[in-house]
């Protein structure tokens, strides 16, 4: 603690983790219930296909969906990093574990970006 | 009179005892007796070699924290009748080195406590003749709950992160730093943030929340740490976006 101030990425990771927590708790469940349960079961009227496609093709929709996916993945990676380190007492391997967990989140985010850019034409 | 068994951890390295052992003592089970009264009975009547810390016996001094049936408790505020029929396991505070019997080494905690500068810091002291630094009730309420900390270290014994990584500054020290950061009379938040924003500061905390559960004084160290994280994260963002801004 008496060592000079070190620059650490933790604040930025934590901010994304916090944002990811909000996304995973508030936005993902709404999307899942709406498109995974309510619309298939006919609880709410299904939107017109052309209209939904037009919404999905809008850059802002793509950006928002990318944000939801990427932040939720960072949230999961952050939790997994500390769960693994504390449960199995692997804190000394933090650089490697952090690289793997955040790396996986980055790969997932890249895959989401690729899908969002290519899947809807 | 009813009796209850206290199963007390004994550790006497001076007597070439290399491992702590549990020793049973039968003490009277009285409705007005706390665990500490039971320990005092052992010391006075059964075995004068038992060592433990205590002072005020009214939840103010923070000396008598121990593990009671595996939970960090103030032994002066934990009553034997609530633990009947027993036996009641009494051990030194978890996560600390043990010196003897129920006495733990405070050195690490004392060092951490002073490292976060838990006192009022002013750029310029105003002269005595100008009077007191006035504060509104609302300004007092900002920090009051965090000022209730008695440094009993139950939160350190409850914190799984401190148990795994002794370099973590820990709940009470961060809560006390936050208490002064929130004080309208204080101007030292930058100095403290420099320490709290280190990797061994607030970022070690994974928000388990056991510290706030264990606190016998109703302080919420977990909340303080989250608020300090937000402050540290805001500072880090400012430094990133406005690198020319002087710290």
């Amino acid at each position: 603690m008496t060592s000079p101030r070190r620059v650490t990425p933790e604040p930025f990771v934590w901010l994304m983790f916090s944002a990811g927590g909000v996304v995973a708790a508030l936005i993902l469940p709404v999307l899942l219930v709406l498109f995974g349960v309510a619309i298939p079961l006919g609880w709410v009227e299904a939107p017109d296909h052309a209209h939904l496609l037009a919404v999905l093709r809008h850059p802002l929709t793509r950006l928002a969906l990318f944000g939801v996916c990427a932040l939720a993945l960072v949230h999961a990676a952050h939790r997994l990093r500390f769960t693994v380190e504390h449960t199995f007492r692997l804190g000394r391997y933090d650089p490697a574990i952090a690289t793997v967990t955040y790396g996986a989140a980055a790969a997932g985010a890249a895959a989401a970006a690729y899908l969002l850019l290519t899947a809807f034409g | 009179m009813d009796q209850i068994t206290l199963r007390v951890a004994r550790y006497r390295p001076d007597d070439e005892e290399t491992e702590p052992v549990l020793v049973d003592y039968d003490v009277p089970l009285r409705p007005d007796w706390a665990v500490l009264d039971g320990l005092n009975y052992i010391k006075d009547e059964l075995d004068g070699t038992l060592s433990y810390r205590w002072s005020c016996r009214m939840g103010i001094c923070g000396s008598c924290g121990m593990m009671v049936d595996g939970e960090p408790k103030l032994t002066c505020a934990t009553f034997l009748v609530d633990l009947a029929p027993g036996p009641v396991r009494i051990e030194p505070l978890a996560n600390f080195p043990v010196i003897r019997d129920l006495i733990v080494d405070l050195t690490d905690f004392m060092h951490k406590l002073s490292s976060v500068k838990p006192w009022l810091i002013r750029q310029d002291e105003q002269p005595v003749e100008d009077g007191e630094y006035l504060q509104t009730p609302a300004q007092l309420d900002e920090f009051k709950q965090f000022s209730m900390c008695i440094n009993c270290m139950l939160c350190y014994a409850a914190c799984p992160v401190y148990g795994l990584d002794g370099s973590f500054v820990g709940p009470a020290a961060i809560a006390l730093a936050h208490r002064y950061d929130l004080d309208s009379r204080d101007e030292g938040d930058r100095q403290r943030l420099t320490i709290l924003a280190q990797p061994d500061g607030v970022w070690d905390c994974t928000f388990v929340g056991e510290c706030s559960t264990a606190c016998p004084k109703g302080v919420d160290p977990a909340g303080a740490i989250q608020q300090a994280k937000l402050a540290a994260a805001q500072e880090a963002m400012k430094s990133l976006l406005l690198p020319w801004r002087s710290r």
Side-chain angles (χ1 to χ4, degrees), chain B residues 169-191:
Chain B
V169 174
I174 297 175
L176 276 168
H178 196 57
R179 172 248 175 278
Y180 285 94
D181 282 349
L182 292 174
D183 194 317
S184 59
R185 299 164 295 181
D186 180 81
E187 295 169 342
D189 51 336
R190 273 288 162 78
Q191 292 182 40

Side-chain angles (χ1 to χ4, degrees), chain B residues 1-66:
Chain B
M1 186 185 285
D2 286 342
Q3 300 248 312
I4 188 166
T5 302
L6 301 189
R7 187 160 288 167
V8 183
R10 300 298 311 266
Y11 174 57
R12 288 153 291 195
D14 297 345
D15 300 340
E16 295 180 6
E17 212 170 71
T18 52
E19 291 281 325
V21 289
L22 293 168
V23 180
D24 285 1
Y25 300 96
D26 290 332
V27 304
L29 177 60
R30 291 176 42 168
D32 56 339
W33 269 21
V35 172
L36 180 61
D37 294 303
L39 291 175
N40 284 340
Y41 180 86
I42 297 171
K43 179 95 175 168
D44 294 341
E45 307 289 339
L46 304 177
D47 185 347
T49 65
L50 180 66
S51 301
Y52 52 99
R53 285 197 185 96
W54 68 286
S55 180
C56 78
R57 54 162 180 70
M58 54 177 71
I60 301 294
C61 72
S63 312
C64 69
M66 297 169 206

Side-chain angles (χ1 to χ4, degrees), chain B residues 4 17 33 44 46 54 105 108 111 125 150 161 182 203 223-224 230:
Chain B
I4 188 166
E17 212 170 71
W33 269 21
D44 294 341
L46 304 177
W54 68 286
D105 186 354
D108 179 56
H111 173 69
E125 287 281 352
I150 55 173
V161 175
L182 292 174
W203 304 118
L230 189 60

Side-chain angles (χ1 to χ4, degrees), chain A residues 72-108:
Chain A
L73 284 167
V74 172
H75 183 85
H78 193 75
R79 269 201 194 288
L80 198 62
R81 171 189 165 198
F82 283 109
T83 305
V84 167
E85 287 176 17
H86 289 170
T87 309
F88 304 109
R89 304 196 169 211
L90 296 172
R92 61 190 180 283
Y93 300 118
D94 177 60
I97 293 168
T99 306
V100 170
T101 49
Y102 297 130

Side-chain angles (χ1 to χ4, degrees), chain A residues 7-31:
Chain A
V7 177
T8 162
E10 294 295 341
F12 308 105
V13 177
W14 181 77
L15 280 173
M16 282 199 283
F17 165 74
S18 302
V22 173
V23 161
L26 297 179
I27 298 176
L28 267 187
V30 173
L31 289 177

Side-chain angles (χ1 to χ4, degrees), chain A residues 1 5-6 12 14-15, chain B residues 112 169 194 198 203 229:
Chain A
M1 277 171 300
R5 217 169 68 81
R6 284 169 286 167
F12 308 105
W14 181 77
L15 280 173
Chain B
K112 284 173 175 162
V169 174
T194 309
Q198 294 280 307
W203 304 118
K229 275 183 185 174

